[in-house]
Amino acid sequence: AAVSWYDEFQRLYDTIPCVEVQALKEHNDQVLHLSFSHSGCLFASCSKDCTVKIWSNELDISLQHSSNMRPYNWSYTQFSQFNSDDSLLLVSGVFVGPHNSSSGEIAVISMENFTLLSRVRNKPYDVFGCWLNETNLISGNLHRIGRITSCSVLWLNNAFQGIESENVNVVKRLFKIQNLNASTIRTVMVADCSRYDSPDLLLDYEEQLAASSTCPVFDLGSDSEEEEAKPKQTPDPAVPELPDEGGVTAEDGLQQLFDDIMEGRVRPAMTETELETKVAELFVRNRTKPPELNLLSTDSNSNTKYLIFTTGCLTYSPHQIGIKRILPHQMTTAGPVLGEERRSDEFFDSLDHVIDIHGHIIGMGLSPDHRYLYVNSRAWPQDCVISDPMQPPPIAEEIDLHVFDLKTMKEVKRALRAHRAYTPNEECFFIFLDVSRDFVA
């Protein structure tokens, strides 16, 4: 932004926050996350000591409140977020459930008197959760379907759980998405498009298909024994399968193969894992609700919001960013719950857009105007092939910072490759990054 060397010197010397004015030592274990209120007057900190502490951001920082979450069976607090008018704080933590360490819970704390207003289960815990608006928050749940196939359900929850009204649900199912190859939805965040001018979400599937990376999908419609990989997009029944030379669609071929295996006419020339994925792909192809295309192009964008999360299609490590538009009628817990307005065979929702990172995503953050999505990732080797979803490729030590324009859904630039990380893939965890007007932390 500087126009002269003198301006640039001032920017680098004067405006970088580099003087420590206070050390806050009230936590007695690792601090995992810190979030500021929108006004900047308060901030909250989460820690492995299982407390969330709320601080007053005066010249002399003071502790306003501390909530110990151990009585609720939490093992630690991991994330917090103030709602848009700073009246409520969402706190996300890891829950010590029976035999199940992947569960988490979200609590809502009132900023008026620091009382605990509600608690919501959140699975897996690294969905983290987020606010959709002042009074509704999004959480996740995970249902196993097979060994490596599952289904993620995203829930809309009311921050005040004590509502008694026939018109307002305390919770409402928002989206239900099929997960292949041991992947799950994690790190949910909401981008509010009213903060930037007229976004146009790319829903041109041909273009998306051309731009998307190559997730292998196996064409079982051909008579050849060679499985040929072709680029795969989010399974979408609105896009017809093109018949191959045999005049049989891949879908028919898959169905035929499945029938043959079930009736013992043929032994599968593939592992159980590959077979499960193929069956799941067949199922999801026929049972997915198509995107509501007409709504995306016609109505005004003033109240459009995108749900953004990490996901995948090849392995359990998060390597794709899924984007789903939230329609105005979905932004409240009032009205019919999901499922009442859809055909009975539409089990799953399709994604509106998928960005493939070709590597392990370790952090995401939105610019203050919500137009740009910043993504930290550690790349996979260039031509790697994933044959076992439980064995993802090794990840690079270099951390790449990518920047995506949510108005065009295109990568703007690879802004930075300056940090290194040495944690192996299976121990690699999400690191929050934050974006201000001038800096990325």
Side-chain angles (χ1 to χ4, degrees):
V3 293
S4 72
W5 284 110
Y6 179 67
D7 283 354
E8 181 67 358
F9 173 74
Q10 273 192 318
R11 186 177 78 88
L12 292 174
Y13 191 81
D14 288 346
T15 63
I16 286 184
C18 57
V19 179
E20 181 185 296
V21 290
Q22 209 173 331
L24 309 174
K25 300 183 174 173
E26 278 82 345
H27 282 294
N28 54 37
D29 204 336
Q30 228 176 311
V31 178
L32 299 176
H33 186 253
L34 192 141
S35 65
F36 280 88
S37 64
H38 294 80
S39 68
C41 299
L42 298 169
F43 63 90
S45 55
C46 294
S47 164
K48 284 198 173 170
D49 67 11
C50 208
T51 66
V52 56
K53 297 188 190 300
I54 296 157
W55 311 79
S56 175
N57 191 27
E58 307 295 321
L59 202 55
D60 199 32
I61 292 166
S62 58
L63 181 64
Q64 295 289 296
H65 175 76
S66 179
S67 285
N68 178 18
M69 302 304 288
R70 278 234 155 74
Y72 304 105
N73 232 19
W74 286 27
S75 50
Y76 57 88
T77 59
Q78 59 172 359
F79 171 77
S80 67
Q81 188 183 49
F82 288 86
N83 70 344
S84 55
D85 63 5
D86 295 335
S87 60
L88 303 171
L89 180 70
L90 173 158
V91 182
S92 171
V94 176
F95 188 81
V96 194
H99 328 294
N100 209 337
S101 60
S102 76
S103 278
E105 198 165 67
I106 295 169
V108 177
I109 296 173
S110 161
M111 287 293 99
E112 196 182 338
N113 50 15
F114 302 119
T115 52
L116 185 66
L117 297 175
S118 60
R119 282 161 51 213
V120 171
R121 193 60 61 87
N122 189 38
K123 183 178 180 181
Y125 60 82
D126 51 359
V127 168
F128 296 112
C130 67
W131 290 106
L132 174 62
N133 49 38
E134 285 87 352
T135 55
N136 295 112
L137 55 127
I138 293 171
S139 66
N141 202 353
L142 185 68
H143 303 278
R144 296 252 161 251
I145 296 173
R147 196 174 71 84
I148 57 160
T149 311
S150 66
C151 163
S152 286
V153 178
L154 295 168
W155 290 89
L156 187 60
N157 307 271
N158 217 303
F160 309 97
Q161 300 271 291
I163 288 175
E164 286 188 22
S165 158
E166 57 194 41
N167 299 323
V168 180
N169 310 304
V170 176
V171 295
K172 185 162 103 173
R173 211 161 57 182
L174 196 57
F175 300 119
K176 187 173 178 182
I177 291 157
Q178 167 89 303
N179 302 315
L180 300 174
N181 288 321
S183 64
T184 63
I185 284 179
R186 324 176 201 213
T187 323
V188 173
M189 55 178 65
V190 169
D192 181 353
C193 307
S194 65
R195 297 200 192 185
Y196 58 88
D197 51 347
S198 68
D200 24 41
L201 179 58
L202 268 190
L203 270 166
D204 180 345
Y205 279 97
E206 297 304 315
E207 202 170 320
Q208 183 180 325
L209 189 54
S212 77
S213 83
T214 54
C215 273
V217 62
F218 300 107
D219 180 10
L220 292 166
S222 64
D223 297 326
S224 142
E225 286 175 21
E226 285 295 313
E227 295 183 324
E228 51 189 79
K230 60 179 178 184
K232 175 202 171 182
Q233 64 186 114
T234 312
D236 173 27
V239 179
E241 285 285 336
L242 293 172
D244 53 26
E245 308 80 78
V248 184
T249 64
E251 197 171 296
D252 292 342
L254 198 49
Q255 182 71 62
Q256 183 63 53
L257 177 82
F258 184 48
D259 292 344
D260 287 348
I261 291 167
M262 292 308 285
E263 290 165 27
R265 289 195 291 270
V266 58
R267 285 193 61 76
M270 57 185 108
T271 64
E272 262 182 58
T273 304
E274 289 170 324
L275 183 62
E276 182 181 316
T277 300
K278 287 182 174 57
V279 171
E281 281 180 345
L282 171 71
F283 185 77
V284 80
R285 223 177 268 175
N286 292 323
R287 298 299 179 100
T288 299
K289 186 179 184 182
E292 309 193 38
L293 289 168
N294 56 333
L295 289 162
L296 285 148
S297 50
T298 54
D299 61 1
S300 75
N301 296 296
S302 58
N303 56 0
T304 298
K305 292 185 179 180
Y306 296 149
L307 191 61
I308 298 171
F309 44 82
T310 64
T311 179
C313 64
L314 298 175
T315 173
Y316 67 82
S317 64
H319 58 278
Q320 291 180 325
I321 296 160
I323 298 175
K324 182 80 184 149
R325 175 167 170 181
I326 305 171
L327 301 165
H329 73 270
Q330 296 169 321
M331 293 189 199
T332 167
T333 51
V337 294
L338 175 97
E340 288 177 11
E341 79 286 355
R342 59 170 63 201
R343 301 204 318 270
S344 60
D345 60 346
E346 290 174 341
F347 280 84
F348 302 111
D349 292 284
S350 53
L351 301 186
D352 291 333
H353 193 76
V354 177
I355 298 169
D356 203 292
I357 299 294
H358 195 75
H360 190 128
I361 298 167
I362 58 166
M364 290 201 303
L366 288 163
S367 62
D369 64 358
H370 283 207
R371 170 147 180 195
Y372 297 98
L373 177 68
Y374 287 69
V375 180
N376 270 343
S377 73
R378 292 171 61 187
W380 288 338
Q382 194 64 47
D383 299 314
C384 63
V385 175
I386 300 172
S387 51
D388 179 357
M390 304 316 286
Q391 299 284 316
I395 47 179
E397 288 178 355
E398 294 80 18
I399 299 176
D400 292 323
L401 177 61
H402 305 266
V403 188
F404 296 95
D405 183 345
L406 293 177
K407 193 172 175 180
T408 62
M409 295 293 158
K410 297 247 192 304
E411 183 164 3
V412 182
K413 55 183 175 176
R414 179 168 294 168
L416 184 70
R417 176 183 269 187
H419 295 79
R420 295 181 85 94
Y422 304 99
T423 319
N425 184 77
E426 63 279 4
E427 293 166 33
C428 188
F429 199 61
F430 195 84
I431 301 166
F432 292 92
L433 63 98
D434 209 352
V435 187
S436 74
R437 201 193 67 162
D438 296 317
F439 297 103
V440 179

